[in-house]
Amino acid sequence: MGIELPFTTLEMTGAFLLVFFRMTGLVIAAPLFSNQSFPMTLRVWFAFMLAAVMFPIAWNYLPSGALLAKLQHPWLSILAVGGEFAIGWIIGWAASVMIWAAQLAGHLVGQEIGMSIGEVFDPISQTQSSALSQLFFTFALLLFVILGGHHLVVMSVSQSFEAAPIGTFPIGAGTGKFLAQELGSDLWVMGVKTALPTMFALIFVTVAMAILARTVPEMNIFMIGFTLRIIFGLLALIVVLPFVADLFQSFLVNTQLNLERLLEMWEGG
């Protein structure tokens, strides 16, 4: 039996608003959806459209009358709104780990090459970052869309209404531990794995310059060292980037497993 707008009961209106807050948290944190270059009005309307699409799914998993009794209490209403926003934000943040890992890899590579000195303002993340950080970030975001990561985010948030029906607050100490330990460690592992081949190439360049400095002491190796590191670092990036796509495909699979574990944790709670 379908649900038609406008809503005919107060409970349906409250349920839709809670779904909207969950979608708002998702849009704020999820990759692509949280892009700061999109106007805020457009992002709000996008969250509203997602809420309209997700509302029938959320309504099917909501016990009749349970939400209305909770919304009659002001503090429980505030807790429900905060819980819905947090659930959407956590799902979006968990899906963004591979994107932030790519930005970390760009920062590590840029620091080794020597391009971190010329940091510029990134309009997407609203922070100062090197050109290589922006390159890796944009490359990862394109792969995220090409590999269907945005579909994974939408499917995960739709499944979250079964694991955590609207009005519930399944977020506990286990969720915080999962975000800090599991996702935090994944971020560093993914970032280092992405940057490691280029960093190894630069280590060989450093060793070669050290040997050259000992062999020809009259040469000012520091004058040509920066240029050599930039040249060989960019050449290593040209060789490595085609293989990074396969690496990020495995990262997306790992992201899907993390989202499934997160939903299972909420369902068990």
Side-chain angles (χ1 to χ4, degrees):
M1 182 177 179
I3 304 299
E4 296 181 357
L5 297 175
F7 305 118
T8 57
T9 64
L10 182 61
E11 186 177 21
M12 293 171 64
T13 304
F16 177 80
L17 291 176
L18 291 180
V19 174
F20 172 72
F21 280 112
R22 185 177 296 196
M23 296 303 106
T24 302
L26 179 74
V27 169
I28 287 176
L32 185 65
F33 305 131
S34 61
N35 197 317
Q36 298 291 332
S37 60
F38 292 142
M40 181 60 67
T41 304
L42 181 62
R43 295 164 67 190
V44 170
W45 277 108
F46 183 68
F48 182 85
M49 289 188 294
L50 278 177
V53 173
M54 296 293 175
F55 177 74
I57 301 174
W59 184 259
N60 288 334
Y61 293 107
L62 182 65
S64 179
L67 182 62
L68 185 60
K70 180 176 293 187
L71 294 180
Q72 290 177 351
H73 300 276
W75 291 110
L76 292 180
S77 300
I78 295 174
L79 182 62
V81 170
E84 293 302 314
F85 184 86
I87 289 173
W89 185 89
I90 290 173
I91 293 175
W93 194 91
S96 300
V97 169
M98 59 179 291
I99 308 297
W100 305 132
Q103 197 169 21
L104 172 63
H107 175 74
L108 293 175
V109 173
Q111 196 170 33
E112 287 296 317
I113 292 179
M115 297 182 67
S116 295
I117 300 176
E119 291 189 346
V120 295
F121 180 74
D122 181 10
I124 297 178
S125 61
Q126 302 291 316
T127 57
Q128 296 285 338
S129 62
S130 66
L132 286 181
S133 295
Q134 296 185 27
L135 173 65
F136 273 81
F137 180 85
T138 306
F139 186 65
L141 193 60
L142 288 174
L143 287 177
F144 183 82
V145 176
I146 292 173
L147 297 174
H150 55 301
H151 295 158
L152 174 63
V153 173
V154 174
M155 289 178 58
S156 298
V157 75
S158 65
Q159 294 171 358
S160 69
F161 292 108
E162 180 180 2
I166 51 177
T168 60
F169 193 81
I171 303 171
T175 302
K177 182 179 179 181
F178 179 80
L179 292 175
Q181 293 185 358
E182 300 293 332
L183 297 185
S185 62
D186 284 348
L187 191 153
W188 281 97
V189 170
M190 292 177 184
V192 172
K193 277 186 177 180
T194 306
L196 204 56
T198 306
M199 294 179 69
F200 266 129
L202 292 173
I203 289 175
F204 288 119
V205 173
T206 303
V207 173
M209 288 192 301
I211 295 174
L212 186 62
R214 294 296 299 271
T215 306
V216 188
E218 296 82 5
M219 181 181 294
N220 190 349
I221 198 66
F222 294 103
M223 294 297 295
I224 65 173
F226 291 110
T227 304
L228 289 177
R229 292 180 71 84
I230 291 175
I231 292 174
F232 283 99
L234 293 179
L235 288 176
L237 278 179
I238 294 174
V239 176
V240 166
L241 278 180
F243 301 97
V244 172
D246 296 331
L247 186 63
F248 270 86
Q249 188 171 6
S250 66
F251 290 167
L252 187 62
V253 173
N254 188 67
T255 300
Q256 181 179 2
L257 295 176
N258 284 333
L259 288 172
E260 290 176 354
R261 289 177 57 191
L262 191 63
L263 294 177
E264 289 175 359
M265 185 186 308
W266 288 342
E267 190 173 8

